[in-house]
Amino acid sequence: MKFIPAIDRYIFRLVLMPMLAVFVIAASLMVLDKMLKLFEFVGSEGGPIKIVFQMLLNLMPEYASLAIPLGLMLGILFAFRKLATTSELDTMRAVGLSYTRLLRVPYAITIVLAAVNFGIVGYLQPQARYWYERLDFELRSGALGASIKVGEFTTLQDRMALKIDQSQDNGRRLIGIFARLTSPSGQVATISAREGTFMALKGSPDTIILRLTQGQIVQDEPGQSPRVLSFARHDQPIDLPAIEKFRQRGGIEREYILPELLRIGWSKSVDEQTRNQTRASFNFRMVEVVMMLLLPLLAVALAVPPKRSSSSIGLFLSILMVVAYHKINEYGQAAAARGRFPPELALWGPFALFALLIVWMFWRIAYVPGGQPIGALEKFAAGLGKRMRKLFDRGTRPKPEIA
């Protein structure tokens, strides 16, 4: 690291820690929000808890593609804000270090993270999304072996109603079993047993055996008296429902990797709607990655507050601008997928306007003496803050006592 100038190492340290912290916090918030919904969904479907973490793992690339740009921008913003508020930035500028020179390390980090994000949105995220959809499908269809719910009646193949009092060993051992079976001929069998175990039947994957111990069977046939049988062990075969196989990857544009999007989006052998959808998805991913190259300029333009000011309005404005731009891209992708606008215009048009705004803001802060791209907004916020403080001071001022 000695061949790297000290100023670059210093800026790298200032950027790294806030960037990692923002990345972890943003990803954690998104994961926790989704985790609660998945726990509720998997619990209602009777699936094993481990499926929640498998589904969350497949959502991580999608969350990372959103958290990486946000962490990059805020890491650079916090670094330059610290330099500005401690007057270190003025010292660096006084010895001849321009903003362009100071952005050398942030841009090196940006290029690396942009390449990582390109790999995520182009290749990893589509395949992870497919596996998430597959887990969701298998959980809904019962292919994951949804457990029998304790204390509730579970219907199997519309012929058997099963209720258990306790479940142990992850559903392998059942205690307090009550079952009611109906045959096609109308015969009804009511079974109660102390314990039971599900067992696979060799050579017949569509049938499992429910082995019951210490119980009774009450058989009721139409026109005959009920018969009661006691048993020490009884094997009851259960036919499993036929499980539909999940589709192959593809058919949804967000499950295609970039080479597939290029092949389908510009192919004359597919219909126009499919071409619009795939081209919109391709341009959306590209514009999100390319925008990362402008984030250091935006971060610096919003990080430096006016002299003798510690306003944080640039921080909130940066988050607002990035989130708003992402939502505009999502709207542009949806509109282009429906054929309302050409995908290139719907996505690269807002990018061009946003890029011009960022370049102007950076030019103001870097090359205009005393330039402040959001100076008017800073003054308005400062004035509003003063009026609010006066209002609160007036409300908390003690009233004079009457003699």
Side-chain angles (χ1 to χ4, degrees):
M1 293 289 290
K2 290 185 178 180
F3 63 92
I4 301 177
I7 185 63
D8 290 336
R9 296 199 302 269
Y10 180 57
I11 293 177
F12 177 77
R13 289 194 299 269
L14 290 180
V15 172
L16 183 63
M17 295 310 297
M19 181 182 67
L20 294 178
V22 172
F23 174 77
V24 171
I25 292 173
S28 300
L29 290 175
M30 289 185 283
V31 167
L32 289 175
D33 178 65
K34 190 65 176 180
M35 183 186 293
L36 297 176
K37 298 177 182 177
L38 286 178
F39 269 118
E40 182 179 356
F41 168 65
V42 173
S44 64
E45 295 292 334
I49 297 300
K50 66 178 182 179
I51 300 301
V52 174
F53 300 100
Q54 293 179 10
M55 298 178 80
L56 285 175
L57 183 63
N58 285 299
L59 287 176
M60 285 306 297
E62 181 177 344
Y63 294 155
S65 67
L66 300 175
I68 286 176
L70 186 62
L72 171 67
M73 184 194 66
L74 292 181
I76 299 172
L77 189 147
F78 280 124
F80 276 82
R81 177 176 172 80
K82 180 178 184 299
L83 293 175
T85 54
T86 57
S87 299
E88 291 178 281
L89 185 60
D90 294 334
T91 304
M92 294 176 183
R93 297 276 289 159
V95 298
L97 294 176
S98 65
Y99 281 102
T100 305
R101 171 61 183 86
L102 295 175
L103 280 173
R104 180 184 297 178
V105 169
Y107 257 105
I109 299 173
T110 300
I111 292 173
V112 172
L113 291 183
V116 171
N117 209 25
F118 176 81
I120 290 175
V121 301
Y123 297 90
L124 183 59
Q125 182 178 324
Q127 300 187 58
R129 188 69 197 188
Y130 168 75
W131 286 104
Y132 173 84
E133 296 291 344
R134 181 169 182 171
L135 287 172
D136 180 87
F137 172 83
E138 292 178 348
L139 185 61
R140 294 178 188 274
S141 64
L144 292 174
S147 59
I148 303 298
K149 298 178 183 178
V150 176
E152 299 181 14
F153 278 99
T154 302
T155 302
L156 303 174
Q157 281 288 76
D158 296 329
R159 295 180 53 245
M160 181 177 183
L162 180 65
K163 178 178 176 294
I164 62 172
D165 294 332
Q166 298 181 38
S167 176
Q168 300 178 359
D169 297 333
N170 294 323
R172 289 186 289 270
R173 183 186 178 195
L174 310 177
I175 300 176
I177 300 173
F178 177 84
R180 183 180 176 87
L181 292 86
T182 304
S183 66
S185 62
Q187 181 181 357
V188 178
T190 303
I191 305 175
S192 59
R194 188 178 66 183
E195 293 186 12
T197 305
F198 282 115
M199 306 178 65
L201 185 61
K202 186 177 181 179
S204 182
D206 295 332
T207 304
I208 59 173
I209 297 296
L210 177 57
R211 175 162 290 179
L212 304 171
T213 58
Q214 302 297 325
Q216 289 184 336
I217 302 177
V218 179
Q219 295 180 340
D220 187 5
E221 297 185 15
Q224 298 185 14
S225 299
R227 292 183 299 173
V228 179
L229 303 175
S230 299
F231 59 85
R233 191 180 76 176
H234 172 71
D235 290 342
Q236 178 63 47
I238 300 176
D239 294 330
L240 295 176
I243 298 175
E244 180 185 356
K245 292 184 178 180
F246 191 54
R247 56 177 171 79
Q248 296 295 321
R249 185 176 61 84
I252 302 177
E253 73 280 354
R254 62 182 178 180
E255 293 180 4
Y256 289 122
I257 61 176
L258 287 182
E260 294 170 341
L261 290 175
L262 285 171
R263 176 175 52 84
I264 297 172
W266 281 264
S267 174
K268 297 181 180 180
S269 60
V270 297
D271 59 275
E272 184 179 0
Q273 181 179 1
T274 303
R275 286 201 305 269
N276 288 334
Q277 292 174 348
T278 52
R279 287 171 59 196
S281 180
F282 175 80
N283 285 281
F284 174 79
R285 299 184 201 182
M286 289 298 95
V287 81
E288 289 279 308
V289 174
V290 174
M291 174 50 64
M292 291 183 63
L293 300 178
L294 295 174
L295 291 181
L297 304 181
L298 176 64
V300 171
L302 296 176
V304 182
K307 298 300 180 182
R308 296 180 298 278
S309 172
S310 59
S311 172
S312 301
I313 191 171
L315 171 63
F316 298 104
L317 186 60
S318 66
I319 298 174
L320 179 63
M321 291 176 67
V322 170
V323 173
Y325 176 72
H326 178 71
K327 293 300 180 181
I328 291 173
N329 280 343
E330 288 183 339
Y331 172 78
Q333 181 189 16
R338 291 193 296 267
R340 296 177 58 185
F341 303 101
E344 293 77 12
L345 176 62
L347 291 157
W348 291 101
F351 169 81
L353 296 176
F354 198 54
L356 289 175
L357 175 62
I358 292 175
V359 170
W360 175 82
M361 293 174 67
F362 178 75
W363 175 79
R364 288 282 302 176
I365 195 72
Y367 298 106
V368 177
Q372 190 69 29
I374 56 172
L377 193 59
E378 292 274 7
K379 292 180 180 179
F380 173 77
L384 181 62
K386 291 180 181 179
R387 286 193 291 270
M388 293 296 293
R389 284 193 295 270
K390 288 181 179 180
L391 181 62
F392 282 110
D393 290 342
R394 186 182 304 172
T396 57
R397 186 180 302 168
K399 295 180 180 181
E401 296 183 0
I402 300 176

